[in-house]
Amino acid sequence: MHPHFRLLALSLFCALIPVVYAQGETLQLKLDRTFMNLPKSSEDTPAYVAAKQVEGQTKGKIVARGEVELRKRGQTVFADNVVYDQTSSDLIAQGNVRLEMQDIKMQGPHVKLNLDTNIGDITTPAFQFPAMNGRGRAENLHMAGKQQYSAKNVEFTTCSIEDEDWLVKAGSLDIDNVRQEGLARNARVEFMGVPILYVPKMSFALSEQRKSGFLSPVYGNTRKSGNEISMPYYWNIAPNRDATITPRVMTKRGLQINNEFRYMGSAYGGEAHLDILPNDAMTDTTRYRTALKHFQNFGNGLVASANLNHVSDNNYFRDLTNTVSTTSMVNLVREGMLGYSGGWWNTAVRMQSYQTLQDPGAPIIKPYQRLPQVTLGARRQLGNADFGMIGEFTSFSHSSLVSGQRLVMYPSISYPLSNSPSYFLTPKVGVHFTQYSLGSNYSGEGSTSPTRILPIVSLDSGLVLERDWKLGGKDYLQTLEPRVYFLHVPYKNQDMLPNFDTAQADFNFAQMFTESRFFGHDRVGDATSMTYALTSRLLSAKDGAERLRIALGQRFSFRTPQVNLIAPETATTNTSDILFAVMGQVTPALSLNGAYQYNPNEWRDERINLGLRYRPEAGKVLNLGYRFTRNSLRQMDISTQWPLWKKWYAMGRWNYSLQDSRLLEMIAGLEYNEDCWAVRVVAQRFVTATNDYATGIFAQLELNGLARLGSDPLNVLRQGIIGFQKLNEPPKYNPEQGLR
């Protein structure tokens, strides 16, 4: 009788103790589990064996039977019977053989393997690649080294054994884990038993590592371009450089070639685009787009950047793209910048111009060119005071408007009288100096070199009060934060000054505690005002996360402001609109973001922004939005991703202008998710110009871990539906689990 025992570190001890066992004799050893948990090593190590019965034979051979487990150098073999030669490291395993390595797991009836060279064969194996979350089977698998495998008559999938909805069948498959790539020959893809793709040779990456080759084709249909197909080719030039070349065939227009080049270094990076459509069949012109973004760090605080964009015509994006973000582009920037940061001060030189894409139904004025713009910023602590400086010189150029130069210098000093976590009081004094030199095309009655000097005085103060609050059985910290801001800027008539780049700022919580009512330096708003605001926050006592914030604010002017770019409808009143805002996580699933602006002088609403999001779990989200601005905007926005039944999901967005009685954007789609594949059908329609729409249909079949076939709607869904989540992401590999 032979009781259960384990033989540990046979090769090590056999090398040190000259004991020879006769054939058929059995050696019983004391149970010891410590060696089984030793870390893996790339160095030569002994083999450790556990089995119900182990026999030591002549010439260094070991025969193990019954629940055999053999480990050596990161390799583990499970089998019913194992014959192991300690001298040559040859191993023969039979019966329910399971072989586990770092990057592959295999099982089959018979394995012949050398544990030192990792050269061997396994017959009719089932195998798994954990990094790909995929599995397969083959007629034979040959291990040609520690990182290389080849198999004959292979079937591969990421589906479970019960639902093999798709399979890749190949005459041969070569796996190279050093280069992290695989190569299949005479391969075809079957979906639901029907062949949908055949390729004589197909290479693929075994991980997220980049690899040159053709990507999945993209099919689509748009109203303006007809049926289309794109075949992207990805070129992995170097670890820090790559390119994507995409031929795009459109039935109504012809062949377009899109080219993208990306690069990155230790001190630089960027990307370049060149898209060209020769002889557009609908316009009989050659249409193209060029773009370059580059950033350079020269070291020692010196940096540079470039952002250059150009298209062949005004309708390029409206005709040839299918996303809202690109079709709505109006001004394409062309900009170069050289900057320096000296610690407490910085400066930059910028050259900037634009290509303006005009919509015939809503023409706009082209922005000024800045040739050049030189900026200077500084902030330094002098004793207990903070000194700041804003400086700018800009040469503005325009083909039809007044050109000229503008110099701005704004030194300021602030002195915190008290600054603690519970309260603050900070006075600030500054002088805003502006001088113009207007060009020969100035036809006004004033001076061609006007100057403006205005002192600016402010006092900012606030308190932070706290209390513990128990709400709904949970502990919270509630704050009460009153804030008062006084501002004085004397009035000066600025009607004769040009307006190169200045616009009236919206009245909101971010603006009400600033010194200017404008964006830009061409106008400095007069003010003798006091701004009041009260904010209350609800913080989780457990982790400090903000759950809810409520704010209320208003500005009172001691005298009516007179400097305005937009004539106020209530110019005779000194009381501003009342602002109210609420935002936070009302429940774990429901969040709220709302802002309300009320005019107490006219007793009417001026602006409403309301957003609700309900997201109880992954794959369930409902967004409701309403936006209102008096005399200019009134919109409803509803978007969702929601399960219908079983594995069906609906996606949609409805963005409608109540002001114009017009649909702005519509998305409607269905998605079906299975264990290892998903299918999506999405329709999109959105405004591209004043009197024009773009319509697109997206249909995609995704075989998890292999390819996406068809036109990809994921970017459309992510941009259009806030909180949208792709549901068929592969699960994380758990090394404790075996083959599926």
Side-chain angles (χ1 to χ4, degrees):
M1 296 178 61
H2 300 284
H4 178 76
F5 65 92
R6 294 177 182 268
L7 178 61
L8 304 175
L10 275 178
S11 60
L12 176 63
F13 287 103
C14 288
L16 297 177
I17 303 175
V19 179
V20 178
Y21 299 94
Q23 185 174 3
E25 294 183 0
T26 302
L27 175 66
Q28 300 183 18
L29 298 181
K30 181 181 178 181
L31 178 66
D32 188 345
R33 302 179 185 274
T34 57
F35 287 97
M36 301 300 293
N37 299 320
L38 288 176
K40 300 174 183 178
S41 172
S42 59
E43 299 177 358
D44 192 18
T45 59
Y48 303 99
V49 180
K52 288 186 176 181
Q53 179 179 332
V54 175
E55 297 179 1
Q57 299 182 349
T58 58
K59 298 182 181 180
K61 285 189 177 181
I62 298 171
V63 178
R65 300 184 180 91
E67 300 180 9
V68 181
E69 180 179 347
L70 185 149
R71 297 177 180 265
K72 184 176 183 181
R73 294 173 53 176
Q75 302 161 309
T76 305
V77 180
F78 302 89
D80 293 338
N81 300 288
V82 171
V83 177
Y84 176 60
D85 190 326
Q86 300 178 76
T87 304
S88 63
S89 293
D90 287 334
L91 174 145
I92 298 176
Q94 292 181 327
N96 299 314
V97 182
R98 199 153 44 94
L99 177 61
E100 296 186 2
M101 302 180 189
Q102 182 178 2
D103 43 40
I104 189 172
K105 295 184 177 183
M106 296 172 281
Q107 62 185 31
H110 182 272
V111 171
K112 183 178 182 181
L113 178 66
N114 185 284
L115 295 181
D116 286 340
T117 63
N118 202 50
I119 296 176
D121 293 276
I122 178 170
T123 57
T124 59
F127 55 86
Q128 180 187 46
F129 295 107
M132 298 177 64
N133 195 43
R135 63 175 186 84
R137 49 186 175 264
E139 180 181 308
N140 177 74
L141 188 144
H142 175 69
M143 291 161 276
K146 299 178 181 179
Q147 300 289 334
Q148 294 180 329
Y149 313 95
S150 61
K152 300 294 184 183
N153 296 327
V154 182
E155 294 183 354
F156 176 82
T157 186
T158 59
C159 299
S160 63
I161 296 177
E162 297 79 13
D163 299 300
E164 291 187 347
D165 292 339
W166 67 264
L167 287 170
V168 175
K169 296 184 178 181
S172 65
L173 175 65
D174 297 327
I175 299 295
D176 189 335
N177 280 308
V178 176
R179 301 173 62 183
Q180 282 292 291
E181 67 178 22
L183 177 64
R185 293 181 175 84
N186 295 323
R188 70 179 185 273
V189 179
E190 294 185 359
F191 180 68
M192 298 296 182
V194 179
I196 60 173
L197 181 66
Y198 171 80
V199 286
K201 182 185 291 187
M202 179 175 66
S203 61
F204 53 91
L206 300 179
S207 63
E208 297 298 323
Q209 185 176 351
R210 301 177 303 161
K211 183 183 182 301
S212 297
F214 282 100
L215 306 179
S216 299
V218 177
Y219 308 95
N221 178 279
T222 62
R223 182 176 61 87
K224 291 190 173 184
S225 298
N227 297 319
E228 61 179 73
I229 179 173
S230 300
M231 180 63 74
Y233 179 81
Y234 178 77
W235 182 15
N236 185 24
I237 303 172
N240 64 333
R241 294 189 300 276
D242 65 12
T244 304
I245 304 167
T246 308
R248 177 188 180 192
V249 178
M250 297 169 283
T251 56
K252 291 185 178 181
R253 297 188 180 275
L255 173 64
Q256 181 182 29
I257 304 295
N258 299 329
N259 302 281
E260 179 190 57
F261 173 66
R262 302 185 301 177
Y263 56 93
M264 180 181 294
S266 59
Y268 65 89
E271 61 182 69
H273 296 263
L274 174 60
D275 306 337
I276 185 167
L277 172 60
N279 301 319
D280 184 345
M282 296 191 69
T283 64
D284 198 26
T285 60
T286 295
R287 312 180 73 179
Y288 60 89
R289 169 197 172 219
T290 59
L292 172 65
K293 289 184 179 180
H294 179 81
F295 175 80
Q296 182 78 45
N297 187 345
F298 296 103
N300 299 319
L302 186 64
V303 298
S305 66
N307 187 2
L308 308 175
N309 299 272
H310 181 74
V311 294
S312 57
D313 56 88
N314 289 328
N315 295 318
Y316 181 87
F317 291 118
R318 292 190 284 268
D319 289 347
L320 298 175
T321 61
N322 54 13
T323 60
V324 176
S325 58
T326 52
T327 56
S328 60
M329 295 179 67
V330 175
N331 292 308
L332 303 184
V333 68
R334 303 165 181 174
E335 179 181 83
M337 186 276 295
L338 180 65
Y340 176 77
S341 176
W344 62 273
W345 68 279
N346 60 80
T347 185
V349 179
R350 177 176 286 104
M351 306 288 285
Q352 186 183 75
S353 64
Y354 294 90
Q355 179 188 7
T356 300
L357 309 181
Q358 295 288 0
D359 176 3
I364 61 173
I365 299 175
K366 183 178 180 180
Y368 274 92
Q369 297 180 354
R370 293 175 170 89
L371 303 172
Q373 179 187 47
V374 182
T375 59
L376 172 68
R379 182 165 297 278
R380 192 165 192 177
Q381 189 168 357
L382 302 175
N384 293 327
D386 292 326
F387 169 78
M389 167 64 79
I390 297 174
E392 177 190 299
F393 170 79
T394 307
S395 178
F396 293 96
S397 176
H398 202 283
S399 58
S400 58
L401 301 178
V402 176
S403 299
Q405 292 82 43
R406 185 187 67 198
L407 174 66
V408 175
M409 301 294 290
Y410 178 34
S412 65
I413 188 168
S414 61
Y415 193 91
L417 296 176
S418 58
N419 190 2
S420 74
S422 58
Y423 61 91
F424 63 92
L425 180 65
T426 307
K428 180 181 178 182
V429 178
V431 178
H432 196 288
F433 170 82
T434 314
Q435 185 173 26
Y436 292 87
S437 177
L438 304 181
S440 58
N441 59 348
Y442 174 66
S443 59
E445 298 178 357
S447 170
T448 59
S449 301
T451 300
R452 178 187 59 198
I453 301 176
L454 287 171
I456 299 176
V457 179
S458 67
L459 179 64
D460 197 4
S461 61
L463 292 173
V464 179
L465 308 175
E466 299 178 349
R467 70 160 181 168
D468 295 325
W469 191 17
K470 198 173 189 66
L471 182 64
K474 297 183 179 180
D475 294 325
Y476 293 96
L477 179 69
Q478 185 195 12
T479 71
L480 193 64
E481 305 170 34
R483 184 179 179 183
V484 179
Y485 180 74
F486 172 79
L487 175 66
H488 175 70
V489 183
Y491 168 74
K492 187 170 186 178
N493 191 335
Q494 302 169 44
D495 293 341
M496 303 305 294
L497 298 180
N499 183 5
F500 293 132
D501 63 354
T502 301
Q504 193 106 16
D506 291 333
F507 183 62
N508 51 50
F509 278 102
Q511 185 275 331
M512 66 191 305
F513 291 101
T514 61
E515 299 171 351
S516 179
R517 301 193 304 275
F518 306 97
F519 297 117
H521 296 293
D522 292 312
R523 296 293 182 272
V524 176
D526 60 312
T528 303
S529 62
M530 192 80 74
T531 301
Y532 307 89
L534 183 64
T535 302
S536 181
R537 295 184 296 155
L538 196 64
L539 308 175
S540 171
K542 181 179 180 180
D543 55 12
E546 183 177 290
R547 302 302 183 190
L548 186 66
R549 176 185 297 190
I550 300 175
L552 183 69
Q554 188 179 25
R555 176 185 292 161
F556 175 78
S557 298
F558 296 97
R559 55 182 175 83
T560 304
Q562 300 180 61
V563 179
N564 291 286
L565 289 175
I566 302 175
E569 298 182 15
T570 57
T572 59
T573 181
N574 294 336
T575 304
S576 76
D577 294 344
I578 299 173
L579 299 181
F580 175 76
V582 57
M583 62 190 71
Q585 199 76 25
V586 181
T587 69
L590 181 64
S591 60
L592 169 67
N593 191 346
Y596 177 61
Q597 181 175 336
Y598 178 74
N599 186 337
N601 304 293
E602 298 293 328
W603 298 85
R604 68 187 189 189
D605 306 327
E606 292 293 336
R607 181 171 297 177
I608 301 172
N609 285 323
L610 180 62
L612 289 171
R613 181 183 305 170
Y614 179 63
R615 190 178 184 183
E617 60 186 56
K620 285 185 177 181
V621 63
L622 175 63
N623 303 299
L624 302 176
Y626 176 74
R627 294 182 291 272
F628 167 78
T629 302
R630 180 163 296 280
N631 299 328
S632 63
L633 179 71
R634 193 157 61 99
Q635 294 180 3
M636 286 290 297
D637 197 346
I638 303 173
S639 62
T640 185
Q641 177 188 21
W642 205 262
L644 296 178
W645 63 90
K646 294 185 178 179
K647 301 178 181 181
W648 286 93
Y649 286 79
M651 299 89 67
R653 182 185 185 187
W654 183 74
N655 187 9
Y656 187 80
S657 173
L658 301 171
Q659 181 89 8
D660 306 316
S661 299
R662 184 184 188 192
L663 180 68
L664 301 178
E665 183 181 12
M666 183 275 295
I667 298 174
L670 287 174
E671 178 176 354
Y672 179 80
N673 272 286
E674 266 294 350
D675 170 61
C676 57
W677 60 274
V679 62
R680 307 176 185 95
V681 179
V682 177
Q684 182 190 32
R685 180 178 173 85
F686 58 91
V687 175
T688 60
T690 305
N691 299 309
D692 202 2
Y693 284 90
T695 304
I697 303 294
F698 304 85
Q700 182 186 63
L701 172 64
E702 180 174 1
L703 307 180
N704 296 357
L706 181 69
R708 297 174 187 168
L709 306 175
S711 51
D712 192 349
L714 293 176
N715 287 335
V716 170
L717 295 172
R718 290 189 180 106
Q719 293 176 9
I721 304 173
I722 300 175
F724 171 83
Q725 184 173 356
K726 186 172 179 287
L727 298 174
N728 62 325
E729 295 289 352
K732 298 294 184 181
Y733 170 66
N734 185 351
E736 299 299 324
Q737 296 177 349
L739 292 174
R740 290 191 296 174

